[in-house]
Every structure is written in C-alpha cells, then in structure tokens.
Amino acid sequence: MLFPLFEKSLCPYTASPRQIVLAFSGGVDSRVMLELLAIYRDKYPQHHYLAVHIHHGLSSNADLWLCQCEAWATDARIPFKGVRVTLAHKGESIEKAAREARYAAILGEVENNALILVAQHADDQAETFLLALKRGSGPAGLASMPACRKLGHAELFRPLLTATREQIENYANEAGLSWIEDESNRDSRFDRNFIRNEWLPSARERWPGINKAINRTAQLCAEQEALLDVLLQEFDQKVVNQNGSLSIERLTSLQAPIKTAVVRRWFKQQTASVPSLAQLQELFSGVINAAIDANPKLKIGEWWVHRHDDAIYVVRPSKDVTDWSAQVALDVTCQLPDGLGNMNLSGTRSGSGQMLRAPQTGEMVSVRFNPEGLFAHPIGRQGKRKLKKLFQEYRVPTWERRRTPLLFYGEQLVAVAGLFVCEGYDGQECELIWNKCHALDA
C-alpha cells in the first residue's frame, strides 16, 4: 500500500492547517496521488485541498485531458482548477519552458504557504540524476530533486520520491484507475524520454539494482551539499553585502576552492539554480577578475550577473517599466510593477523614508520610472543636474536607473525614491517610503 508512505511523508509538513495543492497532470503518477490525497483529506479534513491542471496546448488532446482531470477531481471531491498557459520558449527546451510555465501558473492559483504536491518518484529521480550527469554537473546537480523546496510563496513537495514507478502502476491497476497517456512520453527525441524508454531498461537488464544505486548516490551528494552549505555559512558575513551583492575584494582574499564554492552557493541562494562549471569559469574570468574600471555583465540561464563598484550582483529578468505611471494618493499604498515592491506617501512619520512637503490643493501626485531628459536639484547641492549624471554620482547601478521610482507633483520631479528630495519640496508633512522587493520574492 502506498498510502502509509504518502501519509508518513506528508504529516511533518501539515502539523497546522494549510492549503494542500496537487499538480494534477492526469498521468498515472498524479492520478494515483489524487486517490491518495482523497484518502488523506478524509482523515485530515482541517486542511484546504485543491487540484490544479495546466493546459499547455501542446497536444491536440489537451482539451480532452482538461475535462477528464476535472471529472476525476470531482469524483474524488477535491476542488479543481484548470489553467491555460501559452509557452514562449525562445530557444530554450520546450520541456523547461513547460515546467516553468506550469509552476508559475500554479503559483498564481494558490494561497501563501501552500504545499504543492508533485508526483515525482524514485525512477524520476534516477532520470534526473542521469540528465545532470550528462550535463557534467557537480554534487549539487547530482543531488537531483529534493523532497521539499521553496517555490515562490509556497513549498513544492514530492511525497512519493522514494516509491518506484512499478509500485505506483501496481497501485493504479489494483485500484482499477484509468489515466492519461501523453503521447509525447514515447518520443525519445527528448532526453528524459530517451533515458526512460531506452537507456534505463537496458541498464536494468544488466544491473537490476541500478535505480537504487543511482538514488543512493543522489542522496549522498545531497548530504555532502548540505554539509558544505553549513560549513560555508561562516563566509556569508565576510563576503556578502547587505544588499545581497558579493564583495570582490573580500572574495579574492579566500583560498581558491573556497572562493569557487562561495560563488556557487551565493548564485544558488540568489536564483535557486546552480551554475555549470563552464559558467563559473566564465563568471570568474569575464566578471570577477575583469579590470577594476570595467563594468562587465554575464548571462547565466535567464539571469544576468553584473559587476558594479567592486561587487557582483544577480539581476533577475525584468520587464521594461519606462512607460509605466500611476497616480498616488496620500496614505494609500501604490503597488509598483514587475516585482518592484510598493510605495507609500504617508502623513505619519516612521523614520524609514524621505521627508517632504505635502502636495498642495490641485497638485496631482504620480509615480513614474522614465528618467530621460529630466533634471533635478537635490536638497543641499548646488544647482540642477541631469538625472542621468546624478544617478552616476549616487552610484546607482545602470540596470536600476530605469527601475527607480520618481515622484512627481504635477509635472515637477519632487523626489527620487531612496536617494533624495528636490530643492523646494523639503518639509516634514509627508514621508515617502519605498518597500523594495528582492529578486527572488518577485
């Protein structure tokens, strides 16, 4: 029986009521998980349950699958949500694009601190290990999939990671379940399908215990990574700045093996992904060890690593917000675009923002991001200067200059959030507060 394993895996994460969400593709693995979740729901009704199916539109059967999954969820008395997504993979693998679109869509439907269940199992873990081995990954990559990890404002959990595909299929057959067979799973042009359908069956004929051996190696790699993570924590305070950037001067004082491990750990903390050996080498040669007066940048996956003022920064992919604007009302939080947090013009002083005079009757207050052609006269300085020059003087990184909120009264620039208030607008009546959102919180 799989339920005791499912229950034992799940209970440590459900000590208090929370939303439990099944990523429900309708394949045999998630179909079995739906049945297990229904049993769990009857035993633990204090939680909120939801099944989410993502319609990728990649198959001519996608509409049928959506309807079928809804019917199965209804039969199991699990609330259901179907979400349609459009993939824009721009040269990356369609598998990766589909996975990222799926996770993003599910996150859009779940509560804070939701536990998102995915039905990956021990055979999937072996395939993931071999894919990492094919890419030349180190221990972090070979550790493969963790049982639980943070995903946005939720947690992603794999309760059947120690179960085999055979156990899951046997459960489905004994329970008389039907499930969806995705025709793309037979297409061995995809690397994972090649490993699953052709390489592993041959390997198992010669070495029957190969799956267990692979999973044991993955577990050992995960344990080594966890140990290394603990040992490297002491270096965080030495080399990581308060804004999350990495100090090049302090980094270069470390011994070579520690230096490499610290950069790999830092990048993983910033992006939740691990750079390859080639990417790390390029990061050191092209960015970290670049000339002192250079400001190079490097693209690693979807992320940019910039060098600025003797530090390196990870910059998340972002939208152009140059033309965005919004009206601002006193004591009403203004939500900024593209994960830039929120801004508030408050009549109550907290001491955490910039003080300025209140808008006069009839002065419309707005926030914008386009610095093009603007001049400003910061309080306490001589004369006006181009905002572009002021950004340079205030050492604002180039990638942040069109993502820094500009406060206007009418058509007059009043303040640059986090930097300065303009001459003629000083006062103690209002406080401008910009609550920034860090890269991985967006």
Side-chain angles (χ1 to χ4, degrees), residues 82-111:
V83 183
R84 296 173 184 265
V85 299
T86 302
L87 301 186
H89 48 101
K90 297 179 182 178
E92 65 186 3
S93 78
I94 198 165
E95 298 161 284
K96 180 182 177 184
R99 180 176 63 253
E100 291 179 352
R102 184 162 58 249
Y103 286 161
I106 291 173
L107 280 174
E109 301 297 330
V110 305
E111 301 170 2

Side-chain angles (χ1 to χ4, degrees), residues 195-248:
I195 291 171
R196 177 183 301 164
N197 301 330
E198 300 186 34
W199 196 92
L200 270 175
S202 298
R204 277 194 293 265
E205 285 185 13
R206 186 176 182 91
W207 307 297
I210 186 68
N211 272 26
K212 286 185 178 180
I214 289 173
N215 278 272
R216 185 167 60 250
T217 301
Q219 178 62 33
L220 289 171
C221 287
E223 290 174 3
Q224 289 298 307
E225 278 300 296
L227 173 61
L228 183 62
D229 203 46
V230 171
L231 296 176
L232 289 175
Q233 284 179 9
E234 67 173 280
F235 294 98
D236 286 351
Q237 293 182 349
K238 296 180 181 179
V239 300
V240 180
N241 299 317
Q242 286 188 344
N243 61 6
S245 65
L246 200 63
S247 166
I248 295 175

Side-chain angles (χ1 to χ4, degrees), residues 6 13 34-35 75 97 187 316 373:
F6 181 80
Y13 297 91
L34 179 72
E35 296 301 305
D75 287 344
D187 188 348
R316 70 180 181 88

